[in-house]
Amino acid sequence: MDQFDIAILDILQIDNQTSQRTIADRIGLSAAAVQRRIKRMRENGTIRREVAILNPKHFGDPITILVEVTLENEKIELIDQAKKSFVESPEVQQCYYVTGETDFFLVIVVQSMSEYERLTRRLFFGNENIKSFRSLIAMGIEKQGFQLPLMPNRKNRL
């Protein structure tokens, strides 16, 4: 991966619908070269997915809940079982296996508190290996991003 790949990825992370011609003009390559590089990065897994990020206000303003989860037992097969249950739950938007006093940090999005209660019964109370969980309700989302910092000094862009 060279500076051109990084510049392409930096642009695509902001708007993956930016035309290859526009990217080419910005970074000083031909559109065909940009197309080949993007194709290679899709094929080798550098670009994992290309998705639409929806505005939650158009869907009833769902509730975002940050949840710390502590396991009772930290045997590897039980950790893997917890990971699997969190990953398979569509309400769990992000799942982090963390160090410290808790084992997992989850970002959950639901439409209502009653939906969250049902989810807690299924994911937490229904799992004998969940020692405890702590819920923090987001009062607002001030920043939400998925952009990896590839070019720390943006002034040095190509």
Side-chain angles (χ1 to χ4, degrees):
M1 185 166 310
D2 63 15
Q3 64 184 6
F4 291 111
D5 289 338
I6 290 171
I8 290 167
L9 292 170
D10 200 43
I11 292 166
L12 290 177
Q13 285 190 104
I14 294 168
D15 181 1
N16 78 338
Q17 299 226 350
T18 304
S19 74
Q20 292 171 359
R21 166 62 50 211
T22 300
I23 295 170
D25 290 345
R26 277 198 200 160
I27 68 172
L29 288 177
S30 70
V34 168
Q35 179 183 31
R36 283 191 303 274
R37 285 169 177 268
I38 292 172
K39 181 178 188 280
R40 176 181 41 79
M41 289 187 284
R42 284 178 179 142
E43 289 172 351
N44 72 18
T46 300
I47 299 173
R48 287 191 340 200
R49 294 185 311 164
E50 297 175 60
V51 300
I53 298 174
L54 306 178
N55 183 343
K57 301 227 183 271
H58 290 254
F59 300 93
D61 205 13
I63 301 166
T64 300
I65 304 168
L66 313 172
V67 183
E68 296 177 352
V69 179
T70 304
L71 299 180
E72 186 72 49
N73 188 316
E74 294 184 6
K75 289 184 180 175
I76 192 70
E77 63 272 2
L78 295 174
I79 292 170
D80 289 344
Q81 180 185 33
K83 286 179 185 179
K84 185 176 186 295
S85 72
F86 300 149
V87 168
E88 289 177 350
S89 178
E91 299 89 349
V92 177
Q93 298 294 298
Q94 297 174 53
C95 173
Y96 299 93
Y97 179 47
V98 298
T99 62
E101 293 181 26
T102 61
D103 298 298
F104 289 93
F105 192 85
L106 310 176
V107 177
I108 293 175
V109 177
V110 292
Q111 288 297 322
S112 66
M113 287 307 292
S114 59
E115 183 181 340
Y116 182 59
E117 181 185 4
R118 287 190 299 276
L119 180 70
T120 62
R121 289 173 184 267
R122 182 171 46 94
L123 278 185
F124 308 135
F125 294 118
N127 183 336
E128 292 179 11
N129 195 39
I130 302 294
K131 179 178 182 178
S132 65
F133 68 96
R134 184 171 80 123
S135 305
L136 304 162
I137 311 300
M139 293 174 52
I141 299 172
E142 305 309 317
K143 180 179 179 180
Q144 183 180 44
F146 300 98
Q147 210 173 329
L148 292 177
L150 301 177
M151 297 182 76
N153 186 355
R154 294 187 184 272
K155 292 178 190 171
N156 291 337
R157 245 188 197 166
L158 297 171

